[in-house]
């Protein structure tokens, strides 16, 4: 065998498939311990400089889009495809031979019974359908469950479709993030859809720990005005206009008031981590860094909240002018921040909801792959190909034989039971 043929034989072998599956399992396990999509600085701060360098060099920061993950997946797809291509003519031959009486008559099969008076009744008990009769009724032959030969083949095809659907979906999917408080509307990227937050609730257990986040959303198509409504919660997403909406997380927001020379100038709801640009002086920016419901300032520790209840609210802010920080401090709700002729105050703290929106163009392919895989498993485990034949003996009685490629022990038990224990 030439080296090229040896390589192709190995690539299409079960041994190579097992190696690839072990590799995939290993890299997925390693990647699950590494937070995905962070910056080098974040990894260096969380782990160490050396670990961060290894993570970035091996692309573990985005493992499922890395060249080596794509390469392993591509080789697995190639293995499954080659395996199915090579197995296709073999399966056709098996099906043809399974229904060929001449290839079975004369053999003893896996199990047999002699001196049977009514072989057709035995065929019927074992659910064999169409019976082929030999010349002068010297023999009877029947086969069933030919589709069972295709179980592994169909299963491989389904897995291939799942991998392709997932891989293509990951490469082409669109992901958006929108956040806000009830009553606010947000554009969903460049999709042309607008999401309005109708309601947001945080469910608590008896011990006051968080049990669930729930949002009610209305999505409107800007071009047509058509709208759809849904309720989502953690692990209970919803689909609207082909977009998948996930309840991601929550945080604090507050109303920011800006007065100029004692007169109201601006009032906006700002979420923690977001900012407000002063209307008539856009180079002046007010950041809301964090909110502390029950503010405590400890020496050597810094600001923190003593509880989740709003008892002593405080707002950690920072002020920038022309991209330079002017200052950063914590402001109690009763206090004011003065910047030249501007006065800034914070009030009405409330929780905002953060929604993740995804559009995967190949979800259908992965779904089809899953259904095909299930069909393959059904064919493999529940459709056991079997043949039976009966040959008339000189005494006028029949010798009945049967064979089953898979599940032979079960078939033998059923055969002997139907034959009345004769063998």
């Amino acid at each position: 065998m030439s080296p090229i043929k040896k390589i192709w034989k190995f690539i299409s072998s079960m041994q190579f498939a097992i190696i690839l599956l072990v590799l995939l399992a290993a890299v997925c396990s390693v990647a699950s311990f590494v937070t995905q999509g962070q910056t080098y600085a974040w990894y260096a701060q969380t782990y160490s400089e050396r670990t961060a360098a290894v993570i970035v060099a091996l692309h573990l920061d985005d493992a499922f889009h890395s060249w080596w993950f794509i390469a392993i997946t591509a080789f697995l797809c190639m293995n499954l495809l080659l395996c199915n291509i090579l197995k296709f003519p073999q399966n056709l031959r098996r099906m043809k031979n399974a229904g060929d009486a001449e290839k079975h008559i004369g053999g003893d099969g896996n199990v047999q019974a002699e001196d049977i008076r009514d072989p057709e009744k035995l065929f019927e008990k074992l659910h064999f359908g169409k019976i082929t009769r030999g010349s002068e009724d010297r023999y009877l032959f029947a086969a069933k469950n030919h589709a069972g030969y295709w179980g592994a083949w169909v299963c491989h095809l389904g897995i291939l479709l799942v991998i392709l659907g997932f891989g293509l979906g990951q490469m082409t999917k669109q992901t958006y993030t929108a956040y806000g408080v009830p009553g606010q509307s947000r554009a969903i990227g460049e999709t042309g859809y607008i999401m309005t937050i109708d309601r947001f609730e945080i469910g608590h257990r008896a011990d006051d720990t968080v049990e669930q986040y729930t949002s009610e959303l209305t999505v409107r198509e800007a071009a047509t005005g058509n709208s759809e409504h849904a309720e989502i919660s953690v692990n209970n997403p919803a689909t609207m206009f082909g977009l998948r909406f996930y309840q991601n997380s929550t945080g604090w927001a507050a109303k920011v008031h800006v007065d100029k020379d004692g007169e109201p100038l601006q009032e906006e709801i700002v979420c923690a981590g977001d900012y407000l640009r002063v209307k008539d002086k856009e180079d002046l920016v007010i950041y809301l860094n964090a909110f502390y419901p029950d503010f405590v300032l400890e020496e050597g520790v810094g600001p923190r909240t003593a509880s989740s209840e709003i008892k002593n609210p405080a707002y950690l802010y920072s002020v920038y002018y022309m991209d330079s920080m002017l200052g950063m401090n914590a402001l109690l709700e009763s206090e004011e921040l003065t910047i030249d002729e501007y006065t800034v105050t914070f009030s009405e703290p409330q929780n905002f909801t953060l929604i993740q929106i995804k559009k995967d163009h190949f979800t259908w392919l992965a779904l089809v792959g899953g259904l095909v895989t299930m069909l393959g498993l059904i064919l493999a485990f529940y459709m056991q190909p079997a043949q039976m034949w009966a040959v008339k003996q000189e005494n006028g009685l029949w010798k009945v034989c049967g064979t089953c490629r898979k599940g032979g022990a079960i078939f033998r038990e059923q055969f002997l039971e139907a034959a009345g224990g004769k063998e």
Side-chain angles (χ1 to χ4, degrees), residues 9 41 49 77 249 294-295 326 361 370:
K9 185 177 180 180
E49 290 281 350
C77 289
S249 62
D294 193 3
F295 178 69
L326 299 182
H361 301 280

Side-chain angles (χ1 to χ4, degrees), residues 276-286 319-324 326:
L276 171 149
R277 289 186 179 273
V278 177
K279 268 186 179 179
D280 61 349
K281 200 171 189 176
E282 291 201 350
D283 287 330
L284 182 61
V285 178
I286 313 296
V319 180
Y320 287 81
Y321 181 67
M322 298 184 68
D323 297 328
S324 297
L326 299 182

Side-chain angles (χ1 to χ4, degrees), residues 3 17 38 51 102 118 152 171 174-175 205 233 261 283 289 322 340-341 355 373 393 410:
Q38 299 297 326
T51 304
E102 298 296 332
D118 188 358
M171 287 188 286
Q174 298 166 283
T175 304
R205 301 183 183 90
S233 56
D261 296 325
D283 287 330
N289 300 87
M322 298 184 68
D340 297 330
E341 68 271 35
I355 309 297
T373 302
Q393 299 173 303
I410 297 174

Side-chain angles (χ1 to χ4, degrees), residues 273-417:
D274 212 340
Y275 62 88
L276 171 149
R277 289 186 179 273
V278 177
K279 268 186 179 179
D280 61 349
K281 200 171 189 176
E282 291 201 350
D283 287 330
L284 182 61
V285 178
I286 313 296
Y287 274 86
L288 177 58
N289 300 87
F291 171 73
Y292 304 98
D294 193 3
F295 178 69
V296 175
L297 182 61
E298 294 183 4
E299 188 175 349
V301 177
R304 67 179 184 86
T305 185
S307 69
S308 60
E309 295 183 30
I310 301 177
K311 294 180 178 179
N312 184 34
Y315 307 84
L316 182 65
Y317 70 87
S318 54
V319 180
Y320 287 81
Y321 181 67
M322 298 184 68
D323 297 328
S324 297
M325 182 184 283
L326 299 182
M328 181 177 183
N329 205 347
L331 193 71
L332 296 175
E333 192 160 288
S334 58
E335 297 176 335
E336 296 180 345
L337 167 64
T338 301
I339 312 165
D340 297 330
E341 68 271 35
Y342 300 98
T343 302
V344 180
T345 57
F346 298 89
S347 67
E348 300 180 33
Q350 57 184 303
N351 289 109
F352 70 81
T353 179
L354 191 147
I355 309 297
Q356 192 171 47
I357 305 121
K358 295 181 181 180
K359 185 173 181 65
D360 190 335
H361 301 280
F362 290 93
T363 300
W364 64 270
L365 184 58
L367 178 60
V368 169
L371 294 174
V372 171
T373 302
M374 289 298 297
L375 174 62
L377 293 173
I378 291 171
L379 292 177
F381 290 104
Y382 294 99
M383 300 287 286
Q384 304 294 343
Q387 295 81 34
M388 274 184 64
W389 57 95
V391 179
K392 200 168 188 180
Q393 299 173 303
E394 293 182 359
N395 60 6
L397 299 178
W398 295 78
K399 177 182 178 181
V400 182
C401 302
T403 183
C404 183
R405 183 170 174 269
K406 296 181 288 184
I410 297 174
F411 178 74
R412 178 185 179 85
E413 183 179 337
Q414 293 173 342
F415 182 96
L416 293 176
E417 183 181 351

Side-chain angles (χ1 to χ4, degrees), residues 9-36:
K9 185 177 180 180
F10 176 72
I11 289 176
S12 62
S13 68
M14 180 65 73
Q15 180 185 359
F16 187 53
I18 292 172
I19 292 171
L20 292 173
L21 288 171
V22 170
L23 276 175
L24 273 179
V27 297
C28 287
S29 298
V30 172
S32 67
F33 290 102
V34 180
T35 303
Q36 300 290 292

